[in-house]
Amino acid sequence: MHRNKYPFIAGFLVLPVGLYLLLVIWPYIQTISYSFTDWSGASQKFSFVGFDNYKDLADDDVFLKALQHNALLLVLVPTLTILLSLFFAFMVNVGGRGGAGGVSGVKGSGFYRIVFFFPQVLSVAILAILFKAVYRGDDSGLINGSLQAVGLGDKNHPTEWLNDPDLVLWCIVFVMIWAGAGFYMVLFSAAMQSIPRDIYEAALLDGAGRIQTFFRVTLPLLWETIQTAWVFLAILSMDAFLLISTLTSQDFGGGPDHSSEVISTYLMRNFQTYSKSGYACAMGVVMLLLTLIVSIVTLRLSRRERIEY
Amino acid sequence: MTAPATQPPVTKAAVPGQRGGTRGGPGRRDGMEGKTLNAFSHGFLVLWAIMIVLPLFWILLGNFKTDSQIKSSAWTWPTEWTFDAFQRGWEKGVGDYLLNTLIVMVFSVPLTMLLGAMAAYVLARYEFFGNRFLYYFFVAGSMFPVFLALVPLYFMVDRLGMLNTYQGLILVYVAYSLPFTVFYLYSFFRTLPTAVHEAAVIDGASHTRVFFQIMVPMAKPGLISVGIFNVLGQWNQYILPLTLMQKQSGGDEDRSMLAQGLVSLMNQGNYETDLPALYAGMTISMIPVFVVYASFQRQVQSGLTVATLK
């Protein structure tokens, strides 16, 4: 290139980078610095309090409860979603028998691919309205109504799914899996399709059954994708804010009696309702650290020798 | 519906024999194992499909029921097929929310595409100091949950005097859509051939001109894919408008986006009893998503997986 390219580069980058710095990066950095202050959020007056917010967090029962729920989600949601979507992906890609070489999806694979993925494109608002109706606590809810239709539910004491402290978190887990499994099915499908067919054919010729094929061939070759999926799902379940805040009771969700509280809902309540913004920011930093730790641990623990093919 | 005919009838009969011939024992055992497994696995696929379709269909049916019908039992069938609920939902604010969303997206989506393409193009095709750093800097932005930035973001937008304004939300949408857009288009611009570019430069075209007249048209497939994601993503966005589009004073106009407005309608729903109207609003907001997904289903699926697998 003969002409000076730098003015052009600068001209093309200044707007996107500027906007991104101002509205995305800078707020993240500010979250960290506010976490060391007693800022209320209402005015710009605050003083530096060191690690006080963090010390308070360690004694805050609600926060500790929220942390436990986050940990539970962190284990349950990725594990169940990955198991389920792996199964789906396997069925849709290699589950069928009878094509040339014996490797093909089951009948209707194309249909399943479209339908299972659809919840992924629905907004959280839609999910909230949908599942509020599904979980409704009288027999007009889809689950209660269906249970009673087949004679399983108790008509006088229908289950209050989202108001039962023992059930509410499980209901949330179900919605997260319902919405996410299709996406990971498609993700694993893409990975499975990049596995050369002759590996499967060789396994078939050696007389491997479907279960064997899955554990001996598919799973090892998919390891890296599963790892990526785990990190994504972990970040997702760390958040869970939108779903819980819209589906459960209390300001910004978390009810009943904090039994579905997660860090994000408690953070928002501290910020918006209690005007404890500095404290809220400290929670944000804890979440940020946890997210980073989970990602690093996942990548470390699941590190295996890369299989080339 | 779209069940592909991947299994010609002939091979079906041929396979057991063929396999039995190669390896007697394991082959036959697999046949048995296969049958029970088949019934179970197929059953589960069907069950999951029902679990996805049934609730959605049930809600759609709710558009045509009366409020008391919905509340009496889950298994009622609409008696009158009228569109009254749509009209009521529309008047309760869905119409305004839809308009607000459209106003924002008419600007935010093209602006996201333009700025994202510019940044991605420069990062992908020009060597300069800090190039790699900027690229990772953009990629990192998609790693963290959005609401960690919400508290300071709120005050930043407030300081700019842009709370509850369209322009404020447009800028925020663009900023938060940039990481994915840049990331996706970066790899797309890398794959485009350099020959055309060089020819144009020799002919005396400026860098800017090369970008707009040669690279953008060539990158059209990538731009369309990422455009679909941005449309879906910004249409479904909930937390950013929830934080930034709140009425600042009593006389202030309600500039809620569709998703946000629906949730506030739902929360009022405990007091005002009109579930069919709420479901109608939900249907209205779902139709565009459904149309986009149904028409671009392949691009949506492959685009997202490509972006994730890289």
Side-chain angles (χ1 to χ4, degrees):
Chain A
M1 315 234 162
H2 305 288
R3 273 164 295 168
N4 191 359
K5 62 186 180 178
Y6 288 103
F8 166 73
I9 293 174
F12 259 37
L13 283 177
V14 65
L15 270 178
V17 173
L19 202 61
Y20 182 65
L21 262 178
L22 185 72
L23 294 173
V24 183
I25 299 298
W26 185 234
Y28 278 122
I29 295 173
Q30 275 187 309
T31 300
I32 299 174
S33 57
Y34 282 143
S35 77
F36 297 104
T37 68
D38 62 355
W39 183 40
S40 71
S43 68
Q44 280 299 334
K45 268 190 270 172
F46 51 78
S47 49
F48 185 78
V49 294
F51 282 90
D52 280 7
N53 284 329
Y54 293 92
K55 278 180 208 142
D56 290 349
L57 278 181
D59 294 325
D60 187 331
D61 286 340
V62 178
F63 178 76
L64 295 177
K65 209 170 175 182
L67 203 60
Q68 276 175 20
H69 293 154
N70 266 120
L72 189 73
L73 289 181
L74 196 63
V75 173
L76 279 179
V77 174
T79 315
L80 294 176
T81 311
I82 286 174
L83 285 178
L84 197 64
S85 50
L86 262 180
F87 168 74
F88 289 153
F90 187 71
M91 288 303 289
V92 163
N93 289 288
V94 262
R97 279 288 154 97
V103 185
S104 71
V106 296
K107 256 192 179 166
S109 301
F111 171 75
Y112 293 127
R113 239 182 253 263
I114 295 173
V115 170
F116 289 7
F117 191 91
F118 184 61
Q120 183 70 31
V121 297
L122 295 178
S123 89
V124 177
I126 305 283
L127 288 185
I129 297 169
L130 183 66
F131 280 94
K132 271 242 160 145
V134 168
Y135 286 133
R136 210 175 300 134
D138 47 33
D139 31 320
S140 65
L142 185 60
I143 299 183
N144 281 339
S146 307
L147 284 177
Q148 280 171 20
V150 294
L152 279 173
D154 182 348
K155 196 147 182 68
N156 300 316
H157 304 282
T159 317
E160 294 227 28
W161 299 96
L162 292 173
N163 278 322
D164 188 324
D166 297 329
L167 291 177
V168 60
L169 210 55
W170 296 97
C171 293
I172 299 290
V173 168
F174 176 78
V175 181
M176 292 175 88
I177 297 172
W178 185 88
F183 172 73
Y184 291 94
M185 174 191 85
V186 171
L187 182 72
F188 293 145
S189 292
M192 280 182 192
Q193 275 160 7
S194 66
I195 298 174
R197 299 249 127 171
D198 31 332
I199 296 184
Y200 279 112
E201 278 154 27
L204 272 181
L205 283 178
D206 290 343
R210 259 191 293 199
I211 295 177
Q212 271 176 307
T213 317
F214 178 75
F215 282 104
R216 298 278 173 80
V217 182
T218 313
L219 203 58
L221 290 177
L222 238 60
W223 202 250
E224 259 183 69
T225 317
I226 294 175
Q227 193 178 311
T228 319
W230 219 93
V231 174
F232 279 138
L233 280 159
I235 293 174
L236 191 85
S237 44
M238 212 56 200
D239 188 330
F241 169 72
L242 296 173
L243 214 52
I244 295 183
S245 71
T246 44
L247 275 176
T248 60
S249 55
Q250 211 169 318
D251 246 7
F252 297 104
D257 193 24
H258 303 298
S259 46
S260 64
E261 195 83 75
V262 286
I263 305 178
S264 50
T265 54
Y266 192 46
L267 185 159
M268 282 305 269
R269 202 171 321 120
N270 271 284
F271 166 47
Q272 297 257 2
T273 314
Y274 306 156
S275 296
K276 288 164 82 177
S277 298
Y279 196 48
C281 286
M283 283 179 218
V285 173
V286 172
M287 276 189 70
L288 200 64
L289 286 177
L290 286 178
T291 312
L292 279 178
I293 291 170
V294 166
S295 320
I296 292 166
V297 167
T298 310
L299 296 176
R300 286 268 152 173
L301 275 187
S302 56
R303 192 159 59 179
R304 291 187 175 188
E305 238 170 275
R306 195 192 156 95
I307 302 164
E308 302 275 350
Y309 50 82
Chain B
M1 176 170 88
T2 45
T6 44
Q7 303 178 338
V10 195
T11 42
K12 236 177 196 171
V15 164
Q18 175 203 19
R19 214 185 300 134
T22 355
R23 286 279 163 99
R28 210 161 298 147
R29 201 200 60 211
D30 180 52
M32 282 298 291
E33 168 201 286
K35 256 178 207 161
T36 30
L37 204 67
N38 237 342
F40 167 75
S41 332
H42 277 269
F44 200 70
L45 285 175
V46 173
L47 183 74
W48 195 258
I50 292 173
M51 273 162 64
I52 291 191
V53 176
L54 181 70
L56 290 166
F57 178 72
W58 180 66
I59 287 280
L60 290 185
L61 219 52
N63 291 324
F64 302 102
K65 298 181 190 174
T66 63
D67 198 61
S68 56
Q69 252 184 328
I70 290 180
K71 284 181 181 153
S72 67
S73 159
W75 294 93
T76 49
W77 194 256
T79 42
E80 276 179 86
W81 295 88
T82 62
F83 287 90
D84 286 359
F86 286 90
Q87 201 189 339
R88 291 200 308 275
W90 189 267
E91 279 161 9
K92 278 189 181 189
V94 174
D96 293 336
Y97 302 149
L98 189 68
L99 185 69
N100 291 338
T101 310
L102 289 177
I103 292 173
V104 168
M105 283 180 62
V106 161
F107 294 98
S108 63
V109 172
L111 205 56
T112 306
M113 304 296 293
L114 178 68
L115 294 185
M118 279 161 52
Y121 173 69
V122 170
L123 290 174
R125 317 266 319 192
Y126 288 84
E127 290 290 325
F128 60 92
F129 177 76
N131 181 317
R132 294 310 288 164
F133 173 77
L134 271 182
Y135 172 68
Y136 285 117
F137 177 70
F138 269 114
V139 173
S142 53
M143 294 281 287
F144 307 111
V146 174
F147 72 93
L148 288 188
L150 280 183
V151 182
L153 178 69
Y154 174 86
F155 289 102
M156 176 65 78
V157 176
D158 188 20
R159 226 168 297 153
L160 296 171
M162 287 188 177
L163 280 179
N164 198 25
T165 63
Y166 296 125
Q167 22 338 352
L169 196 64
I170 290 167
L171 289 183
V172 171
Y173 272 10
V174 173
Y176 281 84
S177 311
L178 276 178
F180 183 77
T181 312
V182 169
F183 174 61
Y184 193 94
L185 288 176
Y186 174 86
S187 44
F188 206 88
F189 279 122
R190 291 223 99 157
T191 62
L192 294 181
T194 49
V196 191
H197 185 173
E198 279 160 11
V201 173
I202 290 167
D203 285 350
S206 70
H207 292 294
T208 321
R209 204 177 144 135
V210 168
F211 174 72
F212 282 107
Q213 294 197 329
I214 296 170
M215 297 317 267
V216 168
M218 282 210 294
K220 216 169 157 191
L223 289 171
I224 291 175
S225 290
V226 86
I228 296 166
F229 297 129
N230 282 325
V231 167
L232 284 176
Q234 295 183 7
W235 180 267
N236 286 337
Q237 184 53 254
Y238 169 68
I239 190 166
L240 290 174
L242 184 74
T243 316
L244 302 173
M245 298 303 257
Q246 300 165 343
K247 282 194 206 182
Q248 297 305 303
S249 65
D252 209 354
E253 213 179 317
D254 184 2
R255 297 203 179 88
S256 293
M257 297 297 113
L258 197 50
Q260 176 195 7
L262 280 177
V263 171
S264 72
L265 276 185
M266 173 179 76
N267 292 336
Q268 290 164 21
N270 299 332
Y271 315 105
E272 279 176 58
T273 48
D274 196 351
L275 281 173
L278 177 68
Y279 293 169
M282 172 180 163
T283 311
I284 292 171
S285 85
M286 243 171 69
I287 290 170
V289 176
F290 185 76
V291 170
V292 169
Y293 176 62
S295 352
F296 299 102
Q297 176 259 124
R298 259 167 216 286
Q299 272 109 315
V300 174
Q301 293 194 356
S302 63
L304 271 185
T305 43
V306 164
T308 337
L309 286 176
K310 262 178 191 154

